[in-house]
Amino acid sequence: MAQKPSIPKGTRDFGPQEMARRNYIFDTIRSVYALYGFQQIETPAMENLSTLMGKYGEEGDKLLFKILDSGDFLRGLDPSMFCEGGTPKLAACLCEKGLRYDLTVPFARFVVQHRDELTLPFRRFQIQPVWRADRPQKGRYREFYQCDADVVGSDSLLNEVELMQIVDEVFRRFGIRVCIKINNRKILTGIAEMIGQADKIVDITVAIDKLDKIGLEAVNAELAENGIPNEAIEKLQPIIKLSGSNEEKMQTMRKFFGTESSTTPSCQAGECLRSDIGIRGCDEIEFVLNTLGSVVGGLSAEVQFDLTLARGLNYYTGCIFEVKALDVEIGSITGGGRYDNLTGIFGMPGLSGVGISFGADRIYDVLNQLDLYPKEVSTTTELLFVNFGDAETAYSLPAVAAVRKAGIRAEIYPDASKMKKQMAYANARSIPFVAIAGETEMAEGKFTLKDMTTGEQTVVTTEEMIAKVQA
Amino acid sequence: MAQKPSIPKGTRDFGPQEMARRNYIFDTIRSVYALYGFQQIETPAMENLSTLMGKYGEEGDKLLFKILDSGDFLRGLDPSMFCEGGTPKLAACLCEKGLRYDLTVPFARFVVQHRDELTLPFRRFQIQPVWRADRPQKGRYREFYQCDADVVGSDSLLNEVELMQIVDEVFRRFGIRVCIKINNRKILTGIAEMIGQADKIVDITVAIDKLDKIGLEAVNAELAENGIPNEAIEKLQPIIKLSGSNEEKMQTMRKFFGTESSTTPSCQAGECLRSDIGIRGCDEIEFVLNTLGSVVGGLSAEVQFDLTLARGLNYYTGCIFEVKALDVEIGSITGGGRYDNLTGIFGMPGLSGVGISFGADRIYDVLNQLDLYPKEVSTTTELLFVNFGDAETAYSLPAVAAVRKAGIRAEIYPDASKMKKQMAYANARSIPFVAIAGETEMAEGKFTLKDMTTGEQTVVTTEEMIAKVQA
């Protein structure tokens, strides 16, 4: 036999069991999104490269899968361009289209393109694959699904509240115990403002994040190494040591931001006595936490204010959240936040929004590791009719139709193969019931129904068979 | 504002209403497939070009979307190759991967690659988009979905019977009146054999197909123009004029195939007195029709033996079927047939199968034209809570949570905008119920529920509201 065919690296085939599990994940997320009034859209796999290029940074441009133009793709190109090797610039000449890299940019494009048909605020969700020419590695694929929900055209913090309720409800349904971490970009901006180190905010959060692992001394040393002056590090101490309940942390933050000071203007010569933006960040987080707690009555998951949460800082402008599974060692399994100006890149300014994205592939890994799939997550055939030949088949087919009409997933073995082969098929497919009709059963108008789990056999009518399989 | 962004020609965005309708189509097909014991698989959007090239003919190779290799895609290429323009050969050097063109070749690749894990017969279904660089035109897209089911590893005609039951059940559920046409490749081969014109079978079926439009004289003239000798045309007359019930047609065919002759050998010097393969074709069709009719008890749709049905002749080897909508002028909306040697192209010979493919995009057009969507095909929000400000929101949120817990798709307007704007939002979104809570309602612990269809307003408790919306 010739060499086995294969699929491109970083891509996957999904067999029946994997599909049943993945459908369970997508269906769960989809139905919770719908319960909260989000509406599904889909966009094409291919977008114009002009839509995609320059949206994900220089590195992102390289990771876009580009589609060679059809027909004479060299048409009109200067041959000297080929001397420099396969550069991104040349790629852009050979290719007009690329594969979707995420769901956010296509969504922004969708909103701008269809703005006359949309009613704001627009609550959309989208569950589709995306493609990235990343180096494949364990748990990272070149084709994977994203499951995004966003509200655009509303600044209200109620949207943040509802998205956190959605996150909570989805993981409650999955049975995955999680902690939801929340932070706010404005708090990080406020910290940088208070110590006059606006460009160092990433270094600061990275260093603080190591407190548990390396201790306070080492954190302070790292901050100094990163060029943060001693006075600033001194000022940062209450923040590095930030601990306690969310309420206690918030109190510390407010004090740090100088709520007690009423000096106006609050900043002078790079030194601040008060950070209004920091205080606004605290207000926002407290509104979300209070509404979730006292108004809605709390979530199943713990919500934790975490200052070190700093995802996609250049993109987010308000609340940021991330979800950690408690019982499995794995990165963030869901994340999101508030952003301004989603559609500015396409010439439509002023549209802010907030969104979340479930990491379907990681959720799949968690559910597998904890074996949390409900028993119903299977679309396997429930009942197989054995085939002994033409006469027996003619006798069985009306019963096959009847059980299907009752909603039972059923099949009749298509060939009159040996009984052993047919039973092996039932076993390999994990089919729980087998119906057998030979001369005796046909004379009585009945079937022998074998329960493949217990081995028990009973002689039944079609109606009794339906009742037994459905039980 | 900058120029509106757009999407590649031949591709589509799907908004919320389109998505609801498309999900209804896919869900219906999916659940019928599952009821018949078919198991879902998915394959990657990208396949190796070595898997795809040469499988769809020269024209097909051109219509494959090819993906430019990442990194230095010119690496190791001879610059002189670029002098001949963008040829397919050069494309194959720049690209290792291409987008899936159909679901059949990826399925064949899947079966060969995973043959050690599969139990035969394997009943699989697959619902995924495919991409073709075809010239876009009305009803033809560059990205569209296929919905295929196949059984491989079984020669039994019961598979044909079940696939036709599936077709019938799917269109019964959609409420689309259809006619299922059936033919058999062996019958066509038999005809060619009987008149000694094996290479003319396509010309013959095309000419016969015009009988109703152009009349017998013209059909015979066309046959002659195509180089078919007069004796052969003479012999073909009963077939050109074939009419009556399926039984009558079958009788004519059997007579044509010389069932009354028992001469052996049946063929001599290119002239045949009997066609065994033609008779086998008749046997197969009769088995399928009889089993569907007398054994299963008939289908909702009419099944019609149609000699002019000649889809994909090079591919199919046994029964062929096609579905026509009765109430809309549109091409075939579903088709399929029996093929041999699905996996031979990947070095695994001897695996035959039979399959069908629903044309989701055309079914969508038919359902739209006939307005056949059930009322439930909508995932629109059922209940909108009006937002008058913080106090009213705090009052409303527990009720929002309660109605969602009852399974009602609900949202609260996120901003305390003017009442008029919020009601306009409800109207634009076609939300059927709006809940309002001002001072009066809050004092009573109730809501005013407005039925947006009738305009009727009632003051209700949360429980009453749930009952009214669910009613």
Side-chain angles (χ1 to χ4, degrees):
Chain A
M1 180 136 84
Q3 206 193 342
K4 256 196 192 183
S6 62
I7 50 178
K9 63 179 176 182
T11 68
R12 291 164 290 173
D13 282 328
F14 297 110
Q17 196 201 26
E18 288 156 314
M19 279 307 300
R21 293 176 165 196
R22 291 173 66 85
N23 283 339
Y24 163 68
I25 293 172
F26 296 135
D27 289 345
T28 301
I29 295 171
R30 185 182 297 124
S31 58
V32 175
Y33 279 157
L35 201 56
Y36 280 75
F38 285 76
Q39 301 185 286
Q40 190 171 13
I41 69 160
E42 282 187 4
T43 62
M46 301 186 283
E47 293 275 352
N48 291 322
L49 272 182
S50 57
T51 299
L52 301 176
M53 295 284 281
K55 309 304 189 298
Y56 308 104
E58 210 175 306
E59 194 52 28
D61 282 354
K62 281 189 203 151
L63 300 185
L64 289 171
F65 280 112
K66 298 169 190 80
I67 294 162
L68 194 68
D69 290 346
S70 3
D72 180 5
F73 50 85
L74 293 183
R75 186 183 36 215
L77 288 188
D78 177 354
S80 71
M81 292 190 70
F82 300 95
C83 304
E84 295 163 42
T87 61
K89 194 179 150 205
L90 177 57
C93 295
L94 299 173
C95 304
E96 270 185 352
K97 297 178 286 293
L99 292 180
R100 179 167 64 217
Y101 180 89
D102 71 359
L103 301 179
T104 304
V105 168
F107 174 52
R109 193 266 310 146
F110 180 97
V111 169
V112 176
Q113 189 175 333
H114 301 280
R115 60 181 178 275
D116 299 334
E117 308 143 41
L118 296 179
T119 312
L120 297 182
F122 181 44
R123 301 153 86 83
R124 91 83 170 77
F125 78 92
Q126 189 169 357
I127 300 179
Q128 291 192 277
V130 301
W131 295 270
R132 296 182 184 180
D134 250 325
R135 190 179 300 275
Q137 48 184 270
K138 192 180 174 303
R140 189 192 286 173
Y141 304 100
R142 292 186 146 194
E143 172 180 67
F144 60 97
Y145 269 76
Q146 291 193 332
C147 311
D148 286 18
D150 290 82
V151 190
V152 292
S154 164
D155 294 331
S156 165
L157 289 165
L158 272 186
N159 298 304
E160 275 83 339
V161 169
E162 295 219 303
L163 288 174
M164 292 185 70
Q165 288 182 279
I166 286 176
V167 167
D168 189 59
E169 176 68 12
V170 165
F171 288 108
R172 198 189 59 73
R173 291 190 184 193
F174 284 143
I176 299 177
R177 297 195 319 124
V178 298
C179 171
I180 305 177
K181 308 210 163 193
I182 184 169
N183 193 9
N184 193 299
R185 177 69 170 103
K186 297 188 174 85
I187 288 181
L188 298 175
T189 306
I191 293 171
E193 193 174 79
M194 289 299 288
I195 61 168
Q197 302 284 326
D199 55 330
K200 292 281 163 56
I201 191 63
V202 172
D203 294 334
I204 294 170
T205 56
V206 167
I208 296 180
D209 196 26
K210 296 182 184 163
L211 182 68
D212 287 345
K213 267 192 223 145
I214 64 177
L216 183 59
E217 293 291 304
V219 168
N220 286 336
E222 186 170 321
L223 289 170
E225 271 166 43
N226 280 308
I228 295 166
N230 280 338
E231 322 86 272
I233 295 177
E234 193 50 47
K235 221 172 167 184
L236 271 178
Q237 291 309 301
I239 295 218
I240 298 175
K241 291 185 274 190
L242 190 69
S243 66
S245 66
N246 289 335
E247 292 72 21
E248 288 163 343
K249 287 178 182 170
M250 276 293 137
Q251 251 171 8
T252 310
M253 291 312 304
R254 283 186 183 278
K255 211 162 147 188
F256 177 79
F257 287 135
T259 33
E260 285 147 21
S261 156
S262 64
T263 321
T264 310
S266 52
C267 293
Q268 244 166 351
E271 173 90 11
C272 292
L273 294 172
R274 198 181 76 224
S275 169
D276 289 336
I277 192 164
I279 294 167
R280 264 211 320 282
C282 292
D283 290 344
E284 291 185 6
I285 293 222
E286 282 190 335
F287 176 87
V288 172
L289 292 177
N290 288 342
T291 309
L292 285 174
S294 63
V295 180
V296 176
L299 299 180
S300 302
E302 188 199 352
V303 182
Q304 211 175 64
F305 169 54
D306 182 350
L307 198 59
T308 66
L309 183 63
R311 43 181 295 131
L313 273 191
N314 295 326
Y315 181 59
Y316 292 117
T317 54
C319 285
I320 319 170
F321 14 81
E322 211 167 87
V323 178
K324 286 279 208 175
L326 295 180
D327 303 314
V328 175
E329 278 290 333
I330 198 165
S332 151
I333 53 178
T334 290
R338 159 81 57 183
Y339 44 85
D340 282 343
N341 205 7
L342 171 77
T343 52
I345 40 171
F346 298 114
M348 181 184 174
L351 202 60
S352 93
V354 55
I356 49 170
S357 184
F358 286 94
D361 286 292
R362 285 193 172 167
I363 292 172
Y364 177 75
D365 288 344
V366 172
L367 288 171
N368 281 345
Q369 275 189 54
L370 301 178
D371 196 16
L372 287 177
Y373 294 100
K375 243 181 42 197
E376 311 82 72
V377 174
S378 154
T379 49
T380 300
T381 296
E382 297 160 284
L383 174 59
L384 174 75
F385 286 79
V386 167
N387 184 335
F388 285 136
D390 287 349
E392 291 84 353
T393 299
Y395 172 80
S396 296
L397 281 177
V400 179
V403 302
R404 283 179 181 149
K405 203 163 183 187
I408 293 169
R409 296 186 298 274
E411 43 184 303
I412 180 163
Y413 198 86
D415 304 276
S417 307
K418 287 201 179 121
M419 180 72 170
K420 202 179 151 191
K421 188 175 177 191
Q422 299 190 41
M423 296 308 272
Y425 174 84
N427 276 321
R429 290 277 315 277
S430 305
I431 298 174
F433 290 97
V434 170
I436 302 157
E439 264 179 44
T440 328
E441 288 89 353
M442 286 166 69
E444 289 180 51
K446 298 198 169 173
F447 289 88
T448 295
L449 182 69
K450 179 166 182 179
D451 181 327
M452 298 293 280
T453 321
T454 63
E456 187 197 2
Q457 300 202 14
T458 39
V459 177
V460 292
T461 63
T462 303
E463 291 66 40
E464 289 164 348
M465 180 157 57
I466 291 171
K468 270 200 173 269
V469 174
Q470 281 176 337
Chain B
M1 179 136 85
Q3 206 194 341
K4 255 195 192 182
S6 62
I7 50 178
K9 63 178 175 181
T11 69
R12 291 165 290 174
D13 282 328
F14 297 110
Q17 196 201 27
E18 288 157 313
M19 279 307 300
R21 292 176 165 197
R22 290 173 67 83
N23 283 339
Y24 163 68
I25 293 172
F26 296 135
D27 289 346
T28 302
I29 295 172
R30 186 182 295 124
S31 58
V32 176
Y33 278 158
L35 201 56
Y36 279 75
F38 285 76
Q39 301 185 285
Q40 190 171 13
I41 69 160
E42 281 187 4
T43 61
M46 301 187 284
E47 293 275 353
N48 291 321
L49 273 182
S50 58
T51 299
L52 301 176
M53 296 284 281
K55 309 305 189 298
Y56 308 104
E58 209 175 308
E59 194 53 27
D61 282 353
K62 281 190 203 150
L63 300 185
L64 289 171
F65 280 112
K66 299 169 189 79
I67 295 161
L68 194 68
D69 289 346
S70 5
D72 180 5
F73 50 86
L74 293 183
R75 185 184 36 215
L77 288 187
D78 176 354
S80 71
M81 292 190 70
F82 299 96
C83 304
E84 295 163 42
T87 61
K89 194 180 150 203
L90 178 57
C93 294
L94 299 172
C95 304
E96 269 185 353
K97 297 177 287 292
L99 292 180
R100 178 168 63 217
Y101 180 89
D102 72 358
L103 302 179
T104 304
V105 168
F107 174 52
R109 194 267 309 145
F110 180 96
V111 169
V112 177
Q113 190 175 334
H114 301 280
R115 61 180 177 274
D116 298 335
E117 308 144 40
L118 296 179
T119 312
L120 297 182
F122 182 44
R123 300 154 86 85
R124 90 85 169 75
F125 78 91
Q126 188 168 358
I127 300 179
Q128 290 193 277
V130 301
W131 295 270
R132 296 182 184 180
D134 251 324
R135 190 179 300 276
Q137 48 183 270
K138 191 178 175 303
R140 189 193 286 175
Y141 304 100
R142 292 186 146 194
E143 173 180 66
F144 60 97
Y145 269 76
Q146 292 192 334
C147 311
D148 286 17
D150 290 82
V151 190
V152 292
S154 163
D155 294 331
S156 165
L157 289 165
L158 272 185
N159 298 304
E160 275 83 340
V161 169
E162 294 218 304
L163 288 173
M164 292 185 71
Q165 287 182 281
I166 287 176
V167 167
D168 189 59
E169 176 67 12
V170 165
F171 288 109
R172 197 190 60 72
R173 292 191 183 193
F174 284 142
I176 298 177
R177 297 197 317 125
V178 298
C179 171
I180 306 178
K181 307 210 164 194
I182 185 170
N183 193 9
N184 194 299
R185 177 68 170 103
K186 296 188 175 83
I187 288 181
L188 298 175
T189 307
I191 294 172
E193 193 173 79
M194 287 300 286
I195 62 169
Q197 302 286 324
D199 55 329
K200 292 281 162 57
I201 191 62
V202 173
D203 295 334
I204 295 170
T205 57
V206 167
I208 296 180
D209 195 27
K210 295 182 184 163
L211 183 68
D212 286 346
K213 267 193 223 145
I214 63 177
L216 184 59
E217 293 293 302
V219 168
N220 285 335
E222 187 172 319
L223 290 170
E225 270 167 44
N226 280 308
I228 295 167
N230 280 339
E231 322 85 273
I233 296 177
E234 194 50 47
K235 220 170 167 185
L236 271 177
Q237 292 309 301
I239 294 216
I240 298 174
K241 290 184 273 191
L242 190 70
S243 66
S245 66
N246 290 334
E247 291 73 20
E248 288 162 344
K249 287 179 183 169
M250 276 294 137
Q251 251 171 7
T252 311
M253 291 310 305
R254 284 187 182 277
K255 210 161 148 189
F256 177 79
F257 287 135
T259 33
E260 285 150 19
S261 157
S262 63
T263 319
T264 311
S266 50
C267 293
Q268 244 167 351
E271 172 92 8
C272 291
L273 294 172
R274 199 182 76 223
S275 169
D276 289 336
I277 192 165
I279 293 166
R280 265 212 318 282
C282 292
D283 291 344
E284 291 186 7
I285 293 221
E286 282 190 337
F287 176 88
V288 172
L289 292 178
N290 288 341
T291 308
L292 285 174
S294 62
V295 181
V296 176
L299 300 180
S300 302
E302 188 199 351
V303 182
Q304 213 175 65
F305 168 54
D306 182 349
L307 200 58
T308 66
L309 183 64
R311 44 181 296 131
L313 273 192
N314 295 325
Y315 181 58
Y316 293 116
T317 54
C319 285
I320 320 170
F321 14 83
E322 211 167 87
V323 178
K324 286 280 208 173
L326 296 180
D327 302 314
V328 174
E329 277 289 332
I330 199 166
S332 152
I333 54 178
T334 291
R338 159 80 57 183
Y339 45 84
D340 282 343
N341 205 6
L342 171 76
T343 52
I345 40 171
F346 296 115
M348 181 184 174
L351 202 61
S352 93
V354 54
I356 49 170
S357 184
F358 286 95
D361 287 291
R362 285 193 173 167
I363 291 171
Y364 178 75
D365 288 344
V366 172
L367 288 171
N368 281 344
Q369 276 190 52
L370 302 178
D371 196 16
L372 288 177
Y373 294 100
K375 243 179 43 195
E376 311 83 69
V377 174
S378 155
T379 48
T380 300
T381 296
E382 296 160 285
L383 174 59
L384 174 75
F385 286 79
V386 167
N387 184 335
F388 286 136
D390 287 349
E392 290 84 353
T393 299
Y395 172 80
S396 296
L397 281 177
V400 179
V403 302
R404 282 179 181 150
K405 202 164 184 188
I408 293 170
R409 295 185 300 273
E411 42 184 305
I412 180 163
Y413 198 86
D415 305 276
S417 307
K418 287 199 178 124
M419 180 72 170
K420 202 178 152 191
K421 189 175 175 190
Q422 299 189 42
M423 296 308 271
Y425 173 84
N427 276 321
R429 290 277 315 275
S430 305
I431 298 175
F433 290 97
V434 170
I436 303 156
E439 264 179 44
T440 328
E441 288 89 352
M442 285 165 68
E444 291 181 50
K446 296 198 169 173
F447 290 87
T448 294
L449 183 71
K450 179 166 182 180
D451 180 327
M452 298 293 281
T453 321
T454 64
E456 188 198 2
Q457 300 201 14
T458 39
V459 177
V460 292
T461 62
T462 303
E463 290 67 38
E464 289 163 349
M465 179 156 58
I466 291 171
K468 269 198 174 272
V469 174
Q470 282 176 337

